[in-house]
Amino acid sequence: MNDSKPASVKVLITSGPTRQYLDPVRYLTNASSGRMGAALAEAVLKLGHDVVVVSGPVAVKYPAAAEVVEVITTDDMLRVANEIFPHCDGAIGAAAPCDYKPLHVSDQKLSKTGRPLQLDLVETPDVIAVLGESKRNDQWVVGFALETDDRRFRATVKLEKKHCDLMVSNGPEAIDASDNHVELLDRDGSVIETISGNKQHVANRLIQQIHNRLILQ
Amino acid sequence: MNDSKPASVKVLITSGPTRQYLDPVRYLTNASSGRMGAALAEAVLKLGHDVVVVSGPVAVKYPAAAEVVEVITTDDMLRVANEIFPHCDGAIGAAAPCDYKPLHVSDQKLSKTGRPLQLDLVETPDVIAVLGESKRNDQWVVGFALETDDRRFRATVKLEKKHCDLMVSNGPEAIDASDNHVELLDRDGSVIETISGNKQHVANRLIQQIHNRLILQ
């Protein structure tokens, strides 16, 4: 523990899902609720730091003291995060951006024909990987990895690939749930802490670790 | 106007979106909020009738006096509606069921490969068309048609095809909005009433029309 009181820092948190529309009505997404992002924002504010949340469409309420920028698509989230990140000390990728988008987007609602529809999807940019790649020496990035299989291994691969300083590994049962069970992984793939409980408890522990390891460094 | 007081009837309302999963995380859906369904339920209850809402995942609160059955997929919505409809006097299809589903659903989260992904989609069953087809002579069905182009024509085609008694035609700007602008169409395609305003106002007018034309008949 470092006992010196650090100056207030500014943390960027991405939160919630994004949407990738096929036409004016239908879209691809996931059930991310933004609750983990809201809990992390609360925990960052409690330590006296500033927070900017870049959030996809959610019903959750973010803390009143947080600056919130709303986005719809993954490209929007990346563009806004890229603009804000240079003015921040670190970023936490709690969002679950939709990682595929239709190659073609129709202006009109596609009419049903009775026949199958073949949809060509391409990958969207990886928001946290782009921030990790662009970070200065005095900045840090913490990612989240949501995997159904080989969780720890895949999370460690993602940590490396996305130039993250720490990686939070969790499973699909975390999505739209009030509780979570996560492992916080270090750069060498070792488990720093396993945390279970409601999302505010998990967020408080994660922010305490980030505070000690990255903010007070 | 018929002045005789009718016995209380029971109305089935489908509401909200449905989800069609590709894998444990990603799904296809739309932004339907369930607000129109909730407003219709409120209006039906105000006239002294009973209401059962079959709803996809929404954040909106349905009236406490409404019976609510929650579903996820379009097949779920159809199965539940089919079970409930024989015990009802009529059905209103305010839901926006996801009308395509992946031909193959993966048990594991699909890993990104850096390459495009071709997704084969097939149509889901049409909930209101199935109810319309199965309705008894003493039952009625009211559909909603959401179109971006040739709205009135396409809504009239849907009315006929889905064996509806009335059809509400609206546009994509209705989705997840507090206001709505609709046309209520008769079996012959003529416009019975054009209604604009907040969703509770639109719902009250629609239910008054349904009451006069279908419940009191």
Side-chain angles (χ1 to χ4, degrees):
Chain A
M1 277 293 285
N2 183 332
D3 284 319
S4 68
K5 195 173 155 53
S8 159
V9 303
K10 191 170 185 177
V11 179
L12 167 64
I13 299 176
T14 67
S15 180
T18 60
R19 296 176 181 172
Q20 298 299 156
Y21 279 85
L22 281 59
D23 66 20
V25 176
R26 303 168 178 103
Y27 58 82
L28 206 57
T29 192
N30 60 72
S32 170
S33 65
R35 275 186 231 166
M36 196 65 212
L40 289 165
E42 187 70 44
V44 170
L45 289 166
K46 247 188 252 168
L47 291 185
H49 303 306
D50 291 327
V51 66
V52 190
V53 181
V54 181
S55 176
V58 292
V60 83
K61 295 273 171 258
Y62 292 106
E67 183 188 338
V68 180
V69 185
E70 293 175 6
V71 296
I72 303 285
T73 69
T74 301
D75 287 289
D76 285 348
M77 185 172 272
L78 176 61
R79 184 179 45 74
V80 172
N82 257 337
E83 282 168 20
I84 294 172
F85 188 52
H87 312 290
C88 294
D89 299 87
I92 307 175
C98 189
D99 45 11
Y100 284 98
K101 64 179 173 185
L103 186 59
H104 306 287
V105 180
S106 172
D107 287 346
Q108 300 182 3
K109 186 183 173 194
L110 300 166
S111 281
K112 286 165 71 178
T113 58
R115 291 188 302 275
L117 179 69
Q118 210 170 46
L119 196 63
D120 288 309
L121 301 173
V122 291
E123 291 186 2
T124 57
D126 189 316
V127 178
I128 282 302
V130 173
L131 298 187
E133 184 110 42
S134 76
K135 75 177 179 211
R136 300 186 306 260
N137 282 339
D138 62 338
Q139 288 181 305
W140 48 266
V141 170
V142 177
F144 272 68
L146 189 148
E147 298 288 351
T148 50
D149 299 83
D150 302 325
R151 284 188 202 176
R152 196 178 301 167
F153 171 72
R154 291 191 188 192
T156 309
V157 170
K158 282 186 176 177
L159 186 153
E160 176 84 20
K161 217 169 105 181
K162 301 186 185 194
H163 306 275
C164 289
D165 297 275
L166 294 170
M167 181 63 80
V168 185
S169 165
N170 58 3
E173 62 280 4
I175 299 180
D176 200 19
S178 56
D179 285 18
N180 205 351
H181 172 83
V182 310
E183 284 184 349
L184 180 63
L185 304 179
D186 208 349
R187 251 167 287 199
D188 63 4
S190 63
V191 180
I192 297 171
E193 186 174 346
T194 301
I195 318 170
S196 296
N198 68 51
K199 286 188 176 172
Q200 193 58 63
H201 168 72
V202 173
N204 292 345
R205 288 298 315 147
L206 287 175
I207 294 301
Q208 196 57 58
Q209 289 282 6
I210 290 170
H211 187 79
N212 294 347
R213 289 169 181 268
L214 301 173
I215 298 176
L216 290 181
Q217 76 181 339
Chain B
M1 277 295 283
N2 183 333
D3 283 318
S4 68
K5 197 172 153 54
S8 160
V9 302
K10 192 171 184 175
V11 179
L12 166 65
I13 299 175
T14 67
S15 180
T18 61
R19 296 176 182 173
Q20 298 298 156
Y21 279 85
L22 280 58
D23 66 20
V25 176
R26 303 167 179 106
Y27 58 83
L28 205 56
T29 192
N30 61 71
S32 171
S33 64
R35 275 187 231 165
M36 195 67 212
L40 288 165
E42 187 69 43
V44 169
L45 290 165
K46 248 188 248 167
L47 291 185
H49 303 305
D50 291 329
V51 67
V52 190
V53 181
V54 181
S55 178
V58 292
V60 81
K61 295 276 171 256
Y62 292 106
E67 182 186 338
V68 179
V69 185
E70 292 175 5
V71 297
I72 303 285
T73 70
T74 301
D75 286 290
D76 286 348
M77 184 172 273
L78 177 61
R79 184 178 46 72
V80 172
N82 257 336
E83 281 168 22
I84 293 171
F85 188 52
H87 311 291
C88 294
D89 300 88
I92 306 175
C98 189
D99 44 14
Y100 284 97
K101 64 180 174 186
L103 186 59
H104 307 287
V105 180
S106 171
D107 287 347
Q108 300 182 4
K109 185 182 174 193
L110 300 167
S111 281
K112 287 164 73 179
T113 58
R115 291 188 303 275
L117 179 68
Q118 210 168 48
L119 196 62
D120 289 310
L121 301 172
V122 291
E123 291 185 3
T124 56
D126 188 316
V127 177
I128 282 300
V130 173
L131 297 187
E133 184 111 43
S134 76
K135 75 176 179 214
R136 300 185 307 262
N137 283 339
D138 63 336
Q139 288 180 306
W140 48 265
V141 170
V142 176
F144 272 67
L146 189 148
E147 298 289 352
T148 50
D149 299 83
D150 302 324
R151 285 188 200 176
R152 196 179 299 165
F153 171 72
R154 291 191 189 191
T156 309
V157 170
K158 282 186 174 175
L159 185 154
E160 175 86 19
K161 215 170 108 182
K162 301 187 184 192
H163 306 278
C164 289
D165 296 274
L166 295 170
M167 181 64 79
V168 184
S169 165
N170 59 1
E173 62 280 3
I175 299 179
D176 202 19
S178 55
D179 285 17
N180 203 351
H181 172 83
V182 310
E183 286 185 344
L184 179 64
L185 304 178
D186 207 350
R187 250 167 287 200
D188 62 4
S190 63
V191 180
I192 296 171
E193 189 175 343
T194 300
I195 317 170
S196 295
N198 68 53
K199 286 189 176 172
Q200 193 58 63
H201 169 71
V202 173
N204 292 346
R205 288 299 313 149
L206 288 175
I207 295 301
Q208 197 57 58
Q209 290 282 5
I210 291 170
H211 188 77
N212 294 345
R213 289 168 181 268
L214 301 172
I215 298 177
L216 289 181
Q217 74 180 340

